[in-house]
PDB file of all heavy atoms in Angstrom:
ATOM      1  N   ALA A  16     -11.279  17.238 -47.768  1.00 94.00           N
ATOM      2  CA  ALA A  16     -10.978  18.671 -47.737  1.00 94.00           C
ATOM      3  C   ALA A  16      -9.567  18.938 -47.221  1.00 94.00           C
ATOM      4  O   ALA A  16      -8.964  19.958 -47.566  1.00 94.00           O
ATOM      5  CB  ALA A  16     -11.992  19.401 -46.863  1.00 94.00           C
ATOM      6  N   ALA A  17      -9.016  18.037 -46.429  1.00 94.00           N
ATOM      7  CA  ALA A  17      -7.700  18.240 -45.829  1.00 94.00           C
ATOM      8  C   ALA A  17      -6.587  17.948 -46.833  1.00 94.00           C
ATOM      9  O   ALA A  17      -6.794  17.283 -47.844  1.00 94.00           O
ATOM     10  CB  ALA A  17      -7.542  17.342 -44.604  1.00 94.00           C
ATOM     11  N   ASP A  18      -5.400  18.467 -46.533  1.00 93.00           N
ATOM     12  CA  ASP A  18      -4.236  18.187 -47.366  1.00 93.00           C
ATOM     13  C   ASP A  18      -3.824  16.724 -47.256  1.00 93.00           C
ATOM     14  O   ASP A  18      -3.420  16.106 -48.232  1.00 93.00           O
ATOM     15  CB  ASP A  18      -3.065  19.088 -46.968  1.00 93.00           C
ATOM     16  CG  ASP A  18      -3.359  20.546 -47.243  1.00 93.00           C
ATOM     17  OD1 ASP A  18      -3.841  20.858 -48.346  1.00 93.00           O
ATOM     18  OD2 ASP A  18      -3.111  21.386 -46.350  1.00 93.00           O
ATOM     19  N   VAL A  19      -3.884  16.194 -46.060  1.00 92.00           N
ATOM     20  CA  VAL A  19      -3.569  14.790 -45.808  1.00 92.00           C
ATOM     21  C   VAL A  19      -4.745  14.183 -45.063  1.00 92.00           C
ATOM     22  O   VAL A  19      -5.164  14.701 -44.027  1.00 92.00           O
ATOM     23  CB  VAL A  19      -2.276  14.630 -44.970  1.00 92.00           C
ATOM     24  CG1 VAL A  19      -2.005  13.170 -44.678  1.00 92.00           C
ATOM     25  CG2 VAL A  19      -1.100  15.273 -45.651  1.00 92.00           C
ATOM     26  N   GLY A  20      -5.273  13.097 -45.592  1.00 94.00           N
ATOM     27  CA  GLY A  20      -6.392  12.427 -44.955  1.00 94.00           C
ATOM     28  C   GLY A  20      -5.999  11.044 -44.486  1.00 94.00           C
ATOM     29  O   GLY A  20      -5.357  10.287 -45.213  1.00 94.00           O
ATOM     30  N   ILE A  21      -6.387  10.729 -43.258  1.00 94.00           N
ATOM     31  CA  ILE A  21      -6.081   9.420 -42.685  1.00 94.00           C
ATOM     32  C   ILE A  21      -7.394   8.759 -42.298  1.00 94.00           C
ATOM     33  O   ILE A  21      -8.197   9.332 -41.565  1.00 94.00           O
ATOM     34  CB  ILE A  21      -5.157   9.551 -41.458  1.00 94.00           C
ATOM     35  CG1 ILE A  21      -3.829  10.172 -41.863  1.00 94.00           C
ATOM     36  CG2 ILE A  21      -4.940   8.194 -40.806  1.00 94.00           C
ATOM     37  CD1 ILE A  21      -2.903  10.444 -40.720  1.00 94.00           C
ATOM     38  N   GLY A  22      -7.596   7.550 -42.804  1.00 93.00           N
ATOM     39  CA  GLY A  22      -8.796   6.794 -42.482  1.00 93.00           C
ATOM     40  C   GLY A  22      -8.471   5.668 -41.527  1.00 93.00           C
ATOM     41  O   GLY A  22      -7.465   4.979 -41.677  1.00 93.00           O
ATOM     42  N   ILE A  23      -9.327   5.499 -40.545  1.00 92.00           N
ATOM     43  CA  ILE A  23      -9.163   4.419 -39.573  1.00 92.00           C
ATOM     44  C   ILE A  23     -10.191   3.347 -39.907  1.00 92.00           C
ATOM     45  O   ILE A  23     -11.392   3.613 -39.902  1.00 92.00           O
ATOM     46  CB  ILE A  23      -9.354   4.925 -38.135  1.00 92.00           C
ATOM     47  CG1 ILE A  23      -8.340   6.021 -37.824  1.00 92.00           C
ATOM     48  CG2 ILE A  23      -9.232   3.782 -37.147  1.00 92.00           C
ATOM     49  CD1 ILE A  23      -8.547   6.695 -36.489  1.00 92.00           C
ATOM     50  N   SER A  24      -9.708   2.158 -40.223  1.00 89.00           N
ATOM     51  CA  SER A  24     -10.642   1.070 -40.533  1.00 89.00           C
ATOM     52  C   SER A  24     -11.226   0.567 -39.226  1.00 89.00           C
ATOM     53  O   SER A  24     -10.515   0.276 -38.274  1.00 89.00           O
ATOM     54  CB  SER A  24      -9.930  -0.059 -41.276  1.00 89.00           C
ATOM     55  OG  SER A  24      -8.862  -0.559 -40.509  1.00 89.00           O
ATOM     56  N   GLY A  25     -12.528   0.514 -39.198  1.00 76.00           N
ATOM     57  CA  GLY A  25     -13.156   0.129 -37.943  1.00 76.00           C
ATOM     58  C   GLY A  25     -14.540  -0.409 -38.144  1.00 76.00           C
ATOM     59  O   GLY A  25     -14.890  -0.927 -39.200  1.00 76.00           O
ATOM     60  N   GLN A  26     -15.356  -0.242 -37.119  1.00 75.00           N
ATOM     61  CA  GLN A  26     -16.685  -0.815 -37.102  1.00 75.00           C
ATOM     62  C   GLN A  26     -17.672  -0.031 -37.965  1.00 75.00           C
ATOM     63  O   GLN A  26     -18.720  -0.541 -38.314  1.00 75.00           O
ATOM     64  CB  GLN A  26     -17.190  -0.868 -35.662  1.00 75.00           C
ATOM     65  CG  GLN A  26     -16.355  -1.777 -34.799  1.00 75.00           C
ATOM     66  CD  GLN A  26     -16.793  -1.716 -33.344  1.00 75.00           C
ATOM     67  OE1 GLN A  26     -17.555  -0.857 -32.957  1.00 75.00           O
ATOM     68  NE2 GLN A  26     -16.259  -2.627 -32.545  1.00 75.00           N
ATOM     69  N   GLU A  27     -17.365   1.214 -38.281  1.00 75.00           N
ATOM     70  CA  GLU A  27     -18.304   2.037 -39.037  1.00 75.00           C
ATOM     71  C   GLU A  27     -18.203   1.826 -40.541  1.00 75.00           C
ATOM     72  O   GLU A  27     -18.861   2.507 -41.299  1.00 75.00           O
ATOM     73  CB  GLU A  27     -18.083   3.513 -38.707  1.00 75.00           C
ATOM     74  CG  GLU A  27     -18.483   3.878 -37.301  1.00 75.00           C
ATOM     75  CD  GLU A  27     -18.496   5.366 -37.086  1.00 75.00           C
ATOM     76  OE1 GLU A  27     -18.867   6.105 -38.021  1.00 75.00           O
ATOM     77  OE2 GLU A  27     -18.126   5.798 -35.991  1.00 75.00           O
ATOM     78  N   GLY A  28     -17.339   0.957 -40.993  1.00 74.00           N
ATOM     79  CA  GLY A  28     -17.221   0.691 -42.418  1.00 74.00           C
ATOM     80  C   GLY A  28     -15.899   1.165 -42.972  1.00 74.00           C
ATOM     81  O   GLY A  28     -14.997   1.590 -42.246  1.00 74.00           O
ATOM     82  N   MET A  29     -15.785   1.086 -44.296  1.00 87.00           N
ATOM     83  CA  MET A  29     -14.517   1.393 -44.965  1.00 87.00           C
ATOM     84  C   MET A  29     -14.581   2.677 -45.799  1.00 87.00           C
ATOM     85  O   MET A  29     -13.678   2.948 -46.562  1.00 87.00           O
ATOM     86  CB  MET A  29     -14.135   0.217 -45.874  1.00 87.00           C
ATOM     87  CG  MET A  29     -13.864  -1.070 -45.137  1.00 87.00           C
ATOM     88  SD  MET A  29     -12.433  -0.990 -44.079  1.00 87.00           S
ATOM     89  CE  MET A  29     -11.151  -1.008 -45.281  1.00 87.00           C
ATOM     90  N   GLN A  30     -15.627   3.481 -45.669  1.00 89.00           N
ATOM     91  CA  GLN A  30     -15.747   4.674 -46.491  1.00 89.00           C
ATOM     92  C   GLN A  30     -14.618   5.665 -46.214  1.00 89.00           C
ATOM     93  O   GLN A  30     -14.067   6.257 -47.137  1.00 89.00           O
ATOM     94  CB  GLN A  30     -17.104   5.368 -46.271  1.00 89.00           C
ATOM     95  CG  GLN A  30     -18.272   4.618 -46.841  1.00 89.00           C
ATOM     96  CD  GLN A  30     -18.854   3.616 -45.837  1.00 89.00           C
ATOM     97  OE1 GLN A  30     -18.293   3.399 -44.783  1.00 89.00           O
ATOM     98  NE2 GLN A  30     -19.963   3.016 -46.196  1.00 89.00           N
ATOM     99  N   ALA A  31     -14.266   5.865 -44.963  1.00 90.00           N
ATOM    100  CA  ALA A  31     -13.196   6.802 -44.617  1.00 90.00           C
ATOM    101  C   ALA A  31     -11.855   6.302 -45.145  1.00 90.00           C
ATOM    102  O   ALA A  31     -11.038   7.081 -45.625  1.00 90.00           O
ATOM    103  CB  ALA A  31     -13.128   7.005 -43.105  1.00 90.00           C
ATOM    104  N   VAL A  32     -11.625   5.015 -45.068  1.00 92.00           N
ATOM    105  CA  VAL A  32     -10.371   4.434 -45.557  1.00 92.00           C
ATOM    106  C   VAL A  32     -10.265   4.601 -47.065  1.00 92.00           C
ATOM    107  O   VAL A  32      -9.210   4.936 -47.599  1.00 92.00           O
ATOM    108  CB  VAL A  32     -10.284   2.945 -45.150  1.00 92.00           C
ATOM    109  CG1 VAL A  32      -9.124   2.254 -45.834  1.00 92.00           C
ATOM    110  CG2 VAL A  32     -10.151   2.830 -43.647  1.00 92.00           C
ATOM    111  N   MET A  33     -11.372   4.384 -47.762  1.00 93.00           N
ATOM    112  CA  MET A  33     -11.345   4.488 -49.222  1.00 93.00           C
ATOM    113  C   MET A  33     -11.157   5.925 -49.695  1.00 93.00           C
ATOM    114  O   MET A  33     -10.634   6.160 -50.784  1.00 93.00           O
ATOM    115  CB  MET A  33     -12.625   3.882 -49.800  1.00 93.00           C
ATOM    116  CG  MET A  33     -12.689   2.372 -49.578  1.00 93.00           C
ATOM    117  SD  MET A  33     -14.251   1.641 -50.022  1.00 93.00           S
ATOM    118  CE  MET A  33     -14.332   1.993 -51.746  1.00 93.00           C
ATOM    119  N   ALA A  34     -11.560   6.901 -48.900  1.00 92.00           N
ATOM    120  CA  ALA A  34     -11.433   8.309 -49.284  1.00 92.00           C
ATOM    121  C   ALA A  34     -10.127   8.932 -48.811  1.00 92.00           C
ATOM    122  O   ALA A  34      -9.825  10.062 -49.153  1.00 92.00           O
ATOM    123  CB  ALA A  34     -12.602   9.108 -48.712  1.00 92.00           C
ATOM    124  N   SER A  35      -9.334   8.197 -48.040  1.00 93.00           N
ATOM    125  CA  SER A  35      -8.155   8.782 -47.399  1.00 93.00           C
ATOM    126  C   SER A  35      -6.879   8.546 -48.201  1.00 93.00           C
ATOM    127  O   SER A  35      -6.831   7.729 -49.107  1.00 93.00           O
ATOM    128  CB  SER A  35      -7.992   8.193 -45.999  1.00 93.00           C
ATOM    129  OG  SER A  35      -7.718   6.815 -46.093  1.00 93.00           O
ATOM    130  N   ASP A  36      -5.844   9.291 -47.820  1.00 93.00           N
ATOM    131  CA  ASP A  36      -4.516   9.110 -48.399  1.00 93.00           C
ATOM    132  C   ASP A  36      -3.787   7.946 -47.734  1.00 93.00           C
ATOM    133  O   ASP A  36      -3.019   7.240 -48.374  1.00 93.00           O
ATOM    134  CB  ASP A  36      -3.683  10.390 -48.239  1.00 93.00           C
ATOM    135  CG  ASP A  36      -4.325  11.577 -48.921  1.00 93.00           C
ATOM    136  OD1 ASP A  36      -4.780  11.410 -50.065  1.00 93.00           O
ATOM    137  OD2 ASP A  36      -4.381  12.653 -48.314  1.00 93.00           O
ATOM    138  N   PHE A  37      -3.990   7.793 -46.434  1.00 92.00           N
ATOM    139  CA  PHE A  37      -3.358   6.734 -45.659  1.00 92.00           C
ATOM    140  C   PHE A  37      -4.431   6.043 -44.830  1.00 92.00           C
ATOM    141  O   PHE A  37      -5.393   6.665 -44.401  1.00 92.00           O
ATOM    142  CB  PHE A  37      -2.278   7.298 -44.716  1.00 92.00           C
ATOM    143  CG  PHE A  37      -1.161   7.986 -45.434  1.00 92.00           C
ATOM    144  CD1 PHE A  37      -1.158   9.357 -45.577  1.00 92.00           C
ATOM    145  CD2 PHE A  37      -0.119   7.259 -45.978  1.00 92.00           C
ATOM    146  CE1 PHE A  37      -0.138   9.999 -46.241  1.00 92.00           C
ATOM    147  CE2 PHE A  37       0.914   7.889 -46.640  1.00 92.00           C
ATOM    148  CZ  PHE A  37       0.902   9.265 -46.776  1.00 92.00           C
ATOM    149  N   ALA A  38      -4.228   4.761 -44.580  1.00 93.00           N
ATOM    150  CA  ALA A  38      -5.175   3.998 -43.766  1.00 93.00           C
ATOM    151  C   ALA A  38      -4.417   3.315 -42.640  1.00 93.00           C
ATOM    152  O   ALA A  38      -3.334   2.775 -42.849  1.00 93.00           O
ATOM    153  CB  ALA A  38      -5.888   2.960 -44.618  1.00 93.00           C
ATOM    154  N   ILE A  39      -4.992   3.367 -41.463  1.00 93.00           N
ATOM    155  CA  ILE A  39      -4.415   2.675 -40.311  1.00 93.00           C
ATOM    156  C   ILE A  39      -5.516   1.857 -39.652  1.00 93.00           C
ATOM    157  O   ILE A  39      -6.703   2.134 -39.821  1.00 93.00           O
ATOM    158  CB  ILE A  39      -3.772   3.659 -39.301  1.00 93.00           C
ATOM    159  CG1 ILE A  39      -4.758   4.739 -38.853  1.00 93.00           C
ATOM    160  CG2 ILE A  39      -2.526   4.288 -39.878  1.00 93.00           C
ATOM    161  CD1 ILE A  39      -4.207   5.704 -37.812  1.00 93.00           C
ATOM    162  N   ALA A  40      -5.108   0.839 -38.902  1.00 91.00           N
ATOM    163  CA  ALA A  40      -6.080  -0.052 -38.282  1.00 91.00           C
ATOM    164  C   ALA A  40      -6.637   0.528 -36.990  1.00 91.00           C
ATOM    165  O   ALA A  40      -7.812   0.367 -36.687  1.00 91.00           O
ATOM    166  CB  ALA A  40      -5.433  -1.406 -38.004  1.00 91.00           C
ATOM    167  N   ARG A  41      -5.809   1.187 -36.223  1.00 90.00           N
ATOM    168  CA  ARG A  41      -6.230   1.755 -34.942  1.00 90.00           C
ATOM    169  C   ARG A  41      -5.625   3.148 -34.790  1.00 90.00           C
ATOM    170  O   ARG A  41      -4.618   3.482 -35.386  1.00 90.00           O
ATOM    171  CB  ARG A  41      -5.765   0.887 -33.787  1.00 90.00           C
ATOM    172  CG  ARG A  41      -6.280  -0.521 -33.838  1.00 90.00           C
ATOM    173  CD  ARG A  41      -6.513  -1.025 -32.432  1.00 90.00           C
ATOM    174  NE  ARG A  41      -6.861  -2.430 -32.353  1.00 90.00           N
ATOM    175  CZ  ARG A  41      -7.990  -2.960 -32.778  1.00 90.00           C
ATOM    176  NH1 ARG A  41      -8.869  -2.222 -33.368  1.00 90.00           N
ATOM    177  NH2 ARG A  41      -8.228  -4.250 -32.630  1.00 90.00           N
ATOM    178  N   PHE A  42      -6.245   3.935 -33.934  1.00 88.00           N
ATOM    179  CA  PHE A  42      -5.783   5.304 -33.714  1.00 88.00           C
ATOM    180  C   PHE A  42      -4.378   5.333 -33.113  1.00 88.00           C
ATOM    181  O   PHE A  42      -3.613   6.257 -33.358  1.00 88.00           O
ATOM    182  CB  PHE A  42      -6.765   6.050 -32.798  1.00 88.00           C
ATOM    183  CG  PHE A  42      -6.554   7.523 -32.769  1.00 88.00           C
ATOM    184  CD1 PHE A  42      -7.005   8.322 -33.801  1.00 88.00           C
ATOM    185  CD2 PHE A  42      -5.888   8.122 -31.719  1.00 88.00           C
ATOM    186  CE1 PHE A  42      -6.817   9.682 -33.793  1.00 88.00           C
ATOM    187  CE2 PHE A  42      -5.688   9.476 -31.688  1.00 88.00           C
ATOM    188  CZ  PHE A  42      -6.153  10.263 -32.720  1.00 88.00           C
ATOM    189  N   LYS A  43      -4.011   4.315 -32.371  1.00 91.00           N
ATOM    190  CA  LYS A  43      -2.696   4.280 -31.731  1.00 91.00           C
ATOM    191  C   LYS A  43      -1.558   4.180 -32.748  1.00 91.00           C
ATOM    192  O   LYS A  43      -0.417   4.492 -32.436  1.00 91.00           O
ATOM    193  CB  LYS A  43      -2.603   3.138 -30.725  1.00 91.00           C
ATOM    194  CG  LYS A  43      -2.633   1.752 -31.338  1.00 91.00           C
ATOM    195  CD  LYS A  43      -2.530   0.688 -30.265  1.00 91.00           C
ATOM    196  CE  LYS A  43      -2.506  -0.691 -30.879  1.00 91.00           C
ATOM    197  NZ  LYS A  43      -2.347  -1.724 -29.872  1.00 91.00           N
ATOM    198  N   HIS A  44      -1.860   3.765 -33.988  1.00 92.00           N
ATOM    199  CA  HIS A  44      -0.830   3.660 -35.017  1.00 92.00           C
ATOM    200  C   HIS A  44      -0.505   5.013 -35.667  1.00 92.00           C
ATOM    201  O   HIS A  44       0.418   5.103 -36.466  1.00 92.00           O
ATOM    202  CB  HIS A  44      -1.253   2.675 -36.103  1.00 92.00           C
ATOM    203  CG  HIS A  44      -1.496   1.292 -35.592  1.00 92.00           C
ATOM    204  ND1 HIS A  44      -0.549   0.566 -34.911  1.00 92.00           N
ATOM    205  CD2 HIS A  44      -2.590   0.501 -35.655  1.00 92.00           C
ATOM    206  CE1 HIS A  44      -1.041  -0.607 -34.579  1.00 92.00           C
ATOM    207  NE2 HIS A  44      -2.288  -0.675 -35.013  1.00 92.00           N
ATOM    208  N   LEU A  45      -1.252   6.032 -35.321  1.00 91.00           N
ATOM    209  CA  LEU A  45      -1.039   7.364 -35.904  1.00 91.00           C
ATOM    210  C   LEU A  45       0.342   7.913 -35.548  1.00 91.00           C
ATOM    211  O   LEU A  45       1.009   8.527 -36.390  1.00 91.00           O
ATOM    212  CB  LEU A  45      -2.126   8.324 -35.427  1.00 91.00           C
ATOM    213  CG  LEU A  45      -2.036   9.744 -35.951  1.00 91.00           C
ATOM    214  CD1 LEU A  45      -2.239   9.758 -37.455  1.00 91.00           C
ATOM    215  CD2 LEU A  45      -3.064  10.622 -35.275  1.00 91.00           C
ATOM    216  N   ARG A  46       0.785   7.674 -34.341  1.00 91.00           N
ATOM    217  CA  ARG A  46       2.094   8.173 -33.907  1.00 91.00           C
ATOM    218  C   ARG A  46       3.216   7.615 -34.779  1.00 91.00           C
ATOM    219  O   ARG A  46       4.081   8.352 -35.244  1.00 91.00           O
ATOM    220  CB  ARG A  46       2.312   7.804 -32.440  1.00 91.00           C
ATOM    221  CG  ARG A  46       3.576   8.365 -31.865  1.00 91.00           C
ATOM    222  CD  ARG A  46       3.596   8.167 -30.357  1.00 91.00           C
ATOM    223  NE  ARG A  46       4.686   8.919 -29.803  1.00 91.00           N
ATOM    224  CZ  ARG A  46       5.644   8.387 -29.064  1.00 91.00           C
ATOM    225  NH1 ARG A  46       5.612   7.109 -28.785  1.00 91.00           N
ATOM    226  NH2 ARG A  46       6.604   9.132 -28.610  1.00 91.00           N
ATOM    227  N   LYS A  47       3.185   6.318 -35.032  1.00 93.00           N
ATOM    228  CA  LYS A  47       4.223   5.701 -35.862  1.00 93.00           C
ATOM    229  C   LYS A  47       4.108   6.167 -37.312  1.00 93.00           C
ATOM    230  O   LYS A  47       5.120   6.386 -37.979  1.00 93.00           O
ATOM    231  CB  LYS A  47       4.132   4.177 -35.784  1.00 93.00           C
ATOM    232  CG  LYS A  47       5.282   3.492 -36.486  1.00 93.00           C
ATOM    233  CD  LYS A  47       5.309   2.008 -36.243  1.00 93.00           C
ATOM    234  CE  LYS A  47       6.532   1.414 -36.912  1.00 93.00           C
ATOM    235  NZ  LYS A  47       6.604  -0.021 -36.741  1.00 93.00           N
ATOM    236  N   LEU A  48       2.890   6.322 -37.808  1.00 92.00           N
ATOM    237  CA  LEU A  48       2.693   6.793 -39.180  1.00 92.00           C
ATOM    238  C   LEU A  48       3.305   8.170 -39.376  1.00 92.00           C
ATOM    239  O   LEU A  48       4.013   8.419 -40.355  1.00 92.00           O
ATOM    240  CB  LEU A  48       1.198   6.817 -39.523  1.00 92.00           C
ATOM    241  CG  LEU A  48       0.840   7.386 -40.894  1.00 92.00           C
ATOM    242  CD1 LEU A  48       1.316   6.444 -41.986  1.00 92.00           C
ATOM    243  CD2 LEU A  48      -0.642   7.620 -40.998  1.00 92.00           C
ATOM    244  N   LEU A  49       3.060   9.079 -38.451  1.00 89.00           N
ATOM    245  CA  LEU A  49       3.563  10.448 -38.598  1.00 89.00           C
ATOM    246  C   LEU A  49       5.048  10.557 -38.290  1.00 89.00           C
ATOM    247  O   LEU A  49       5.814  11.103 -39.083  1.00 89.00           O
ATOM    248  CB  LEU A  49       2.778  11.394 -37.695  1.00 89.00           C
ATOM    249  CG  LEU A  49       1.322  11.611 -38.054  1.00 89.00           C
ATOM    250  CD1 LEU A  49       0.656  12.494 -37.026  1.00 89.00           C
ATOM    251  CD2 LEU A  49       1.191  12.189 -39.431  1.00 89.00           C
ATOM    252  N   LEU A  50       5.450  10.048 -37.140  1.00 90.00           N
ATOM    253  CA  LEU A  50       6.825  10.272 -36.685  1.00 90.00           C
ATOM    254  C   LEU A  50       7.852   9.409 -37.400  1.00 90.00           C
ATOM    255  O   LEU A  50       8.956   9.875 -37.684  1.00 90.00           O
ATOM    256  CB  LEU A  50       6.919  10.055 -35.174  1.00 90.00           C
ATOM    257  CG  LEU A  50       6.115  11.018 -34.316  1.00 90.00           C
ATOM    258  CD1 LEU A  50       6.274  10.687 -32.853  1.00 90.00           C
ATOM    259  CD2 LEU A  50       6.516  12.455 -34.582  1.00 90.00           C
ATOM    260  N   VAL A  51       7.524   8.167 -37.701  1.00 91.00           N
ATOM    261  CA  VAL A  51       8.499   7.271 -38.321  1.00 91.00           C
ATOM    262  C   VAL A  51       8.385   7.318 -39.840  1.00 91.00           C
ATOM    263  O   VAL A  51       9.301   7.730 -40.541  1.00 91.00           O
ATOM    264  CB  VAL A  51       8.337   5.824 -37.800  1.00 91.00           C
ATOM    265  CG1 VAL A  51       9.283   4.890 -38.513  1.00 91.00           C
ATOM    266  CG2 VAL A  51       8.574   5.778 -36.300  1.00 91.00           C
ATOM    267  N   HIS A  52       7.235   6.904 -40.347  1.00 89.00           N
ATOM    268  CA  HIS A  52       7.088   6.826 -41.803  1.00 89.00           C
ATOM    269  C   HIS A  52       7.068   8.213 -42.441  1.00 89.00           C
ATOM    270  O   HIS A  52       7.552   8.388 -43.556  1.00 89.00           O
ATOM    271  CB  HIS A  52       5.842   6.026 -42.160  1.00 89.00           C
ATOM    272  CG  HIS A  52       5.920   4.604 -41.715  1.00 89.00           C
ATOM    273  ND1 HIS A  52       6.747   3.691 -42.328  1.00 89.00           N
ATOM    274  CD2 HIS A  52       5.307   3.945 -40.690  1.00 89.00           C
ATOM    275  CE1 HIS A  52       6.629   2.514 -41.716  1.00 89.00           C
ATOM    276  NE2 HIS A  52       5.765   2.651 -40.721  1.00 89.00           N
ATOM    277  N   GLY A  53       6.520   9.205 -41.742  1.00 87.00           N
ATOM    278  CA  GLY A  53       6.548  10.569 -42.255  1.00 87.00           C
ATOM    279  C   GLY A  53       7.963  11.106 -42.364  1.00 87.00           C
ATOM    280  O   GLY A  53       8.333  11.734 -43.361  1.00 87.00           O
ATOM    281  N   HIS A  54       8.794  10.851 -41.351  1.00 89.00           N
ATOM    282  CA  HIS A  54      10.193  11.295 -41.383  1.00 89.00           C
ATOM    283  C   HIS A  54      10.957  10.591 -42.501  1.00 89.00           C
ATOM    284  O   HIS A  54      11.686  11.230 -43.256  1.00 89.00           O
ATOM    285  CB  HIS A  54      10.850  11.016 -40.029  1.00 89.00           C
ATOM    286  CG  HIS A  54      12.307  11.354 -39.994  1.00 89.00           C
ATOM    287  ND1 HIS A  54      12.760  12.627 -39.751  1.00 89.00           N
ATOM    288  CD2 HIS A  54      13.411  10.599 -40.201  1.00 89.00           C
ATOM    289  CE1 HIS A  54      14.081  12.637 -39.801  1.00 89.00           C
ATOM    290  NE2 HIS A  54      14.491  11.411 -40.066  1.00 89.00           N
ATOM    291  N   TRP A  55      10.800   9.288 -42.588  1.00 89.00           N
ATOM    292  CA  TRP A  55      11.500   8.543 -43.646  1.00 89.00           C
ATOM    293  C   TRP A  55      11.075   9.007 -45.034  1.00 89.00           C
ATOM    294  O   TRP A  55      11.903   9.181 -45.928  1.00 89.00           O
ATOM    295  CB  TRP A  55      11.238   7.053 -43.501  1.00 89.00           C
ATOM    296  CG  TRP A  55      11.975   6.402 -42.370  1.00 89.00           C
ATOM    297  CD1 TRP A  55      13.041   6.916 -41.674  1.00 89.00           C
ATOM    298  CD2 TRP A  55      11.701   5.128 -41.804  1.00 89.00           C
ATOM    299  NE1 TRP A  55      13.431   6.032 -40.708  1.00 89.00           N
ATOM    300  CE2 TRP A  55      12.634   4.918 -40.762  1.00 89.00           C
ATOM    301  CE3 TRP A  55      10.765   4.151 -42.056  1.00 89.00           C
ATOM    302  CZ2 TRP A  55      12.649   3.774 -39.996  1.00 89.00           C
ATOM    303  CZ3 TRP A  55      10.780   3.004 -41.294  1.00 89.00           C
ATOM    304  CH2 TRP A  55      11.713   2.823 -40.273  1.00 89.00           C
ATOM    305  N   CYS A  56       9.787   9.222 -45.228  1.00 86.00           N
ATOM    306  CA  CYS A  56       9.290   9.667 -46.535  1.00 86.00           C
ATOM    307  C   CYS A  56       9.848  11.042 -46.871  1.00 86.00           C
ATOM    308  O   CYS A  56      10.262  11.296 -48.005  1.00 86.00           O
ATOM    309  CB  CYS A  56       7.773   9.693 -46.525  1.00 86.00           C
ATOM    310  SG  CYS A  56       7.050  10.169 -48.094  1.00 86.00           S
ATOM    311  N   TYR A  57       9.886  11.927 -45.896  1.00 86.00           N
ATOM    312  CA  TYR A  57      10.396  13.276 -46.123  1.00 86.00           C
ATOM    313  C   TYR A  57      11.881  13.244 -46.514  1.00 86.00           C
ATOM    314  O   TYR A  57      12.295  13.898 -47.466  1.00 86.00           O
ATOM    315  CB  TYR A  57      10.189  14.125 -44.874  1.00 86.00           C
ATOM    316  CG  TYR A  57      10.437  15.585 -45.104  1.00 86.00           C
ATOM    317  CD1 TYR A  57       9.430  16.406 -45.594  1.00 86.00           C
ATOM    318  CD2 TYR A  57      11.679  16.145 -44.844  1.00 86.00           C
ATOM    319  CE1 TYR A  57       9.659  17.739 -45.821  1.00 86.00           C
ATOM    320  CE2 TYR A  57      11.907  17.483 -45.071  1.00 86.00           C
ATOM    321  CZ  TYR A  57      10.899  18.277 -45.552  1.00 86.00           C
ATOM    322  OH  TYR A  57      11.136  19.601 -45.787  1.00 86.00           O
ATOM    323  N   THR A  58      12.682  12.475 -45.800  1.00 87.00           N
ATOM    324  CA  THR A  58      14.111  12.423 -46.116  1.00 87.00           C
ATOM    325  C   THR A  58      14.354  11.727 -47.458  1.00 87.00           C
ATOM    326  O   THR A  58      15.233  12.141 -48.211  1.00 87.00           O
ATOM    327  CB  THR A  58      14.904  11.701 -45.012  1.00 87.00           C
ATOM    328  OG1 THR A  58      14.361  10.407 -44.797  1.00 87.00           O
ATOM    329  CG2 THR A  58      14.889  12.492 -43.727  1.00 87.00           C
ATOM    330  N   ARG A  59      13.583  10.695 -47.765  1.00 87.00           N
ATOM    331  CA  ARG A  59      13.744  10.023 -49.061  1.00 87.00           C
ATOM    332  C   ARG A  59      13.419  10.966 -50.212  1.00 87.00           C
ATOM    333  O   ARG A  59      14.132  10.999 -51.218  1.00 87.00           O
ATOM    334  CB  ARG A  59      12.840   8.791 -49.136  1.00 87.00           C
ATOM    335  CG  ARG A  59      13.300   7.660 -48.264  1.00 87.00           C
ATOM    336  CD  ARG A  59      12.275   6.553 -48.259  1.00 87.00           C
ATOM    337  NE  ARG A  59      12.656   5.503 -47.334  1.00 87.00           N
ATOM    338  CZ  ARG A  59      11.815   4.620 -46.828  1.00 87.00           C
ATOM    339  NH1 ARG A  59      10.541   4.665 -47.161  1.00 87.00           N
ATOM    340  NH2 ARG A  59      12.233   3.705 -45.993  1.00 87.00           N
TER     341      ARG A  59
END
């Protein structure tokens, strides 16, 4: 339902990752995904 979906691969399975736009291994990687890769993607 969201404009951007992020799935975290974890113990509950891969359903969220398969339905998402981006996948990360842990919640702590969200900061780098948004601030670094999001900025680079926007400028590119």
Side-chain angles (χ1 to χ4, degrees):
D18 295 313
V19 178
I21 298 175
I23 301 173
S24 58
Q26 296 175 348
E27 291 191 36
M29 296 295 287
Q30 289 89 352
V32 170
M33 293 172 62
S35 65
D36 300 315
F37 299 97
I39 55 177
R41 301 214 187 291
F42 193 78
K43 68 180 182 177
H44 300 303
L45 180 65
R46 185 170 190 236
K47 187 172 183 181
L48 176 69
L49 293 176
L50 296 179
V51 176
H52 296 288
H54 176 84
W55 286 345
C56 182
Y57 191 85
T58 55
R59 288 173 185 160

